[in-house]
Amino acid sequence: MSLLKNRAVAWCLSIVIAAGSTLGLGGWKLHGQRKQAEEAFFTGQNGFSPYNDLMSRRDSAYNLLALAQRGLDQNDEAVKQAQSAWNKLDRAETPKEYYEANSRLQGAVDTMYRQLEPALTAEDRQIARRQYSDFCGRMSNLQYDDYYNGLAEEYNRVCSGFPASAIGALTGAGKLPVFR
């Protein structure tokens, strides 16, 4: 009991309780805001979501890879890179993994398409152009998705301030990717 009468101990105990409350409540609030943004990534609003656009990009890239089997050597480095990037997108689970895989897929498909188009028949070239157009068009959808991007930007803004930055570092809840 005499230990609790000591002012230094009382101040230390107060600081520990205040820090615990800040981290606990702040972490809970930060987690809720992150969860809302992550849900928006997968479910979106009015049927539009980054996840759906990424799956459409994945499908278009797959179709371009199928055309590459007819027009390019399968040992070609551009085909290998596109296939590897496609696999990475196919295995992604979090918004960050999807973002990174999508960035890699964009460059790989662009490179492969430049080599693919002249190697195809006229009919396959038209199919490839439509697939590539859809692939690129879905990227525009990702960039202009204000619902998810807005939630992610707001979460990232909150994460950059104190004490949220410390809470995020302690809990491993880093920033969310934004498709702009």
Side-chain angles (χ1 to χ4, degrees), residues 11-173:
W11 275 106
C12 286
L13 190 57
S14 297
I15 290 170
V16 167
I17 290 171
S21 315
T22 300
L23 290 175
L25 292 173
W28 178 68
K29 182 178 177 184
L30 194 62
H31 174 74
Q33 193 170 3
R34 181 182 180 90
K35 186 175 179 178
Q36 181 184 13
E38 286 177 335
E39 285 175 5
F41 177 86
F42 290 103
T43 61
Q45 187 177 48
N46 300 326
F48 299 102
S49 72
Y51 176 78
N52 289 342
D53 289 324
L54 288 166
M55 291 302 95
S56 291
R57 282 175 61 82
R58 182 191 68 170
D59 293 346
S60 294
Y62 181 84
N63 292 337
L64 288 167
L65 281 163
L67 288 168
Q69 288 179 352
R70 289 188 244 167
L72 297 175
D73 179 5
Q74 295 309 292
N75 292 321
D76 184 275
E77 192 59 33
V79 175
K80 286 180 181 179
Q81 291 295 321
Q83 183 65 58
S84 174
W86 186 90
N87 290 338
K88 186 173 179 170
L89 182 66
D90 193 50
R91 290 188 311 266
E93 294 180 2
T94 66
K96 181 180 178 185
E97 290 173 358
Y98 279 105
Y99 179 84
E100 291 169 354
N102 179 60
S103 296
R104 186 172 167 205
L105 185 64
Q106 180 69 51
V109 166
D110 287 344
T111 301
M112 183 184 71
Y113 181 73
R114 282 193 298 275
Q115 292 178 12
L116 177 62
E117 191 176 28
L120 295 173
T121 65
E123 184 180 333
D124 283 349
R125 192 175 305 123
Q126 285 184 337
I127 295 168
R129 284 180 182 156
R130 281 194 303 269
Q131 291 300 314
Y132 186 69
S133 177
D134 186 53
F135 178 80
C136 293
R138 293 297 178 156
M139 189 62 205
S140 293
N141 291 359
L142 286 166
Q143 292 170 332
Y144 295 109
D145 184 337
D146 289 336
Y147 183 61
Y148 165 75
N149 285 327
L151 290 171
E153 286 171 340
E154 177 60 21
Y155 170 79
N156 291 342
R157 187 189 64 71
V158 169
C159 274
S160 64
F162 185 80
S165 59
I167 294 168
L170 290 171
T171 62

